[in-house]
Amino acid sequence: MSSLIILGIDPGLAHTGWGVIEQVGARRHALAYGCVATSSREETACRLKRIHDEISEVIKRYHPTELGIEAVYFGSNAKSALATGEARGAALVAAAYQQIEVGEYSPTQIKQTIVGTGTATKEQIQYMVKAMLGLDHVPTPDHAADALAAAICRAQLRGSFCDCLSER
Amino acid sequence: MSSLIILGIDPGLAHTGWGVIEQVGARRHALAYGCVATSSREETACRLKRIHDEISEVIKRYHPTELGIEAVYFGSNAKSALATGEARGAALVAAAYQQIEVGEYSPTQIKQTIVGTGTATKEQIQYMVKAMLGLDHVPTPDHAADALAAAICRAQLRGSFCDCLSER
């Protein structure tokens, strides 16, 4: 039975969570997850390079063919949206280089897909991620759990495809 | 007399302007300038990859050692700040890979440096960029002129250095 490897990313300049899941038939399990932490004492370009490098390394190690990434909640202010955008830019360039299909999902879509309601709490999401991936513990930090949730969301809702990447 | 090559970037998801200037002693001239245009019909990851690739190519061609980039005006809304952030992320990763020193300047700082007043108009900036670089024409599009202005601002105000890049 063929398997599908999916990367999930929860982007942020200070913390970018990532998680890799494998789907074989109807079963899904986690292969790895983690978080890139950067400090505001570092230059922005350096922080972005580390996010880009770490995500590139994860992609080279696990060879995901698809990516689920959280779309940004526009209720946030412009300053935090800019920082999240920078982290997304660094991570998405890494994905584009490896010809990975990208799906963007709103926080509500992810909650709906994982828990069944768009108003689910963070704890409900974490509990369901643990259960759906057969993990012994709730994955930590939060950013990694959110990244795994984005990967599961991608697994359930996959379909979109980036045409320019298929030409390479 | 040794020369200094400086790249300027005016980042945006739809249009990222760039400009390269050379400083020899007190004289500065433009080596090249241009603009990366992407369409909202393209996937975000593809747009960001093109911005990253184009800026990487410019860096490989002209070997700048310093970069001036416009800091974002937080009066903008969260949606446009996110898109600008993504473009900045893609461009700054390219700069970080080439160990380029980055200086970020507010629109007011750039206006102050180029025209002498923080309330200068776009036309005044363009006129001064043309005069300061000895160009025959006002550089177009606007995004390229703004990028050249950021490069001139970097030339005048240089000093900051990204420590993590010097270690590579």
Side-chain angles (χ1 to χ4, degrees):
Chain A
M1 200 177 285
S2 69
S3 81
L4 179 69
I5 312 285
I6 301 176
L7 172 63
I9 294 179
D10 175 32
L13 188 55
H15 297 98
T16 287
W18 61 269
V20 185
I21 67 171
E22 180 172 30
Q23 172 158 329
V24 183
R27 287 178 61 90
R28 293 181 192 129
H29 63 280
L31 293 180
Y33 55 85
C35 183
V36 193
T38 76
S39 160
S40 58
R41 287 194 299 269
E42 295 172 81
E43 292 276 341
T44 304
C46 301
R47 302 173 79 177
L48 296 170
K49 180 175 176 297
R50 288 214 290 114
I51 292 167
H52 177 270
D53 286 356
E54 184 73 24
I55 297 300
S56 294
E57 274 305 310
V58 168
I59 292 169
K60 280 179 199 153
R61 233 162 31 237
Y62 296 99
H63 307 288
T65 53
E66 311 211 354
L67 165 66
I69 190 165
E70 196 170 303
V72 171
Y73 171 53
F74 288 120
S76 60
N77 67 40
K79 190 168 182 178
S80 68
L82 176 82
T84 305
E86 289 177 332
R88 277 171 58 91
L92 286 173
V93 165
Y97 264 96
Q98 306 291 335
Q99 300 171 261
I100 295 177
E101 296 175 38
V102 179
E104 296 193 46
Y105 307 101
S106 71
T108 305
Q109 256 180 314
I110 294 176
K111 288 174 185 173
Q112 181 76 44
T113 305
I114 306 289
V115 183
T117 163
T119 56
T121 65
K122 195 168 268 294
E123 289 70 28
Q124 286 175 309
I125 293 278
Q126 291 172 347
Y127 178 83
M128 283 306 294
V129 165
K130 171 179 174 288
M132 291 169 102
L133 298 176
L135 293 164
D136 290 336
H137 303 283
V138 166
T140 54
D142 287 1
H143 304 283
D146 288 345
L148 287 168
I152 297 170
C153 188
R154 172 68 192 175
Q156 306 260 95
L157 306 178
R158 51 198 294 263
S160 73
F161 191 71
C162 176
D163 289 335
C164 80
L165 300 182
S166 63
E167 290 165 6
R168 297 179 69 226
Chain B
M1 199 176 287
S2 69
S3 81
L4 180 68
I5 312 285
I6 301 177
L7 171 64
I9 295 178
D10 175 32
L13 188 56
H15 296 97
T16 287
W18 60 269
V20 186
I21 67 171
E22 181 173 28
Q23 173 158 328
V24 185
R27 288 178 60 90
R28 294 182 191 127
H29 63 280
L31 292 180
Y33 54 86
C35 183
V36 192
T38 75
S39 161
S40 58
R41 287 194 299 269
E42 295 173 80
E43 292 276 341
T44 304
C46 301
R47 301 172 79 178
L48 295 170
K49 181 176 176 296
R50 288 214 290 114
I51 292 167
H52 177 270
D53 286 356
E54 185 73 25
I55 297 300
S56 294
E57 274 305 308
V58 168
I59 292 170
K60 281 180 199 156
R61 237 166 22 241
Y62 296 99
H63 307 288
T65 54
E66 309 210 359
L67 165 67
I69 190 166
E70 197 170 303
V72 170
Y73 171 52
F74 288 121
S76 61
N77 67 39
K79 189 169 182 177
S80 68
L82 176 82
T84 305
E86 289 177 332
R88 277 171 58 92
L92 286 173
V93 166
Y97 265 96
Q98 306 291 333
Q99 300 171 260
I100 295 177
E101 294 175 40
V102 179
E104 297 193 45
Y105 308 101
S106 71
T108 304
Q109 257 180 312
I110 294 175
K111 288 174 183 171
Q112 182 76 42
T113 305
I114 306 288
V115 183
T117 164
T119 56
T121 64
K122 194 169 269 295
E123 289 70 28
Q124 285 175 309
I125 294 278
Q126 291 172 347
Y127 177 83
M128 284 305 293
V129 166
K130 170 179 174 290
M132 291 170 102
L133 298 176
L135 293 165
D136 290 337
H137 304 282
V138 165
T140 54
D142 288 0
H143 304 282
D146 288 345
L148 288 167
I152 296 170
C153 188
R154 171 69 192 174
Q156 307 261 96
L157 306 179
R158 52 198 293 264
S160 73
F161 189 71
C162 176
D163 290 334
C164 80
L165 299 182
S166 64
E167 290 165 7
R168 296 180 68 228

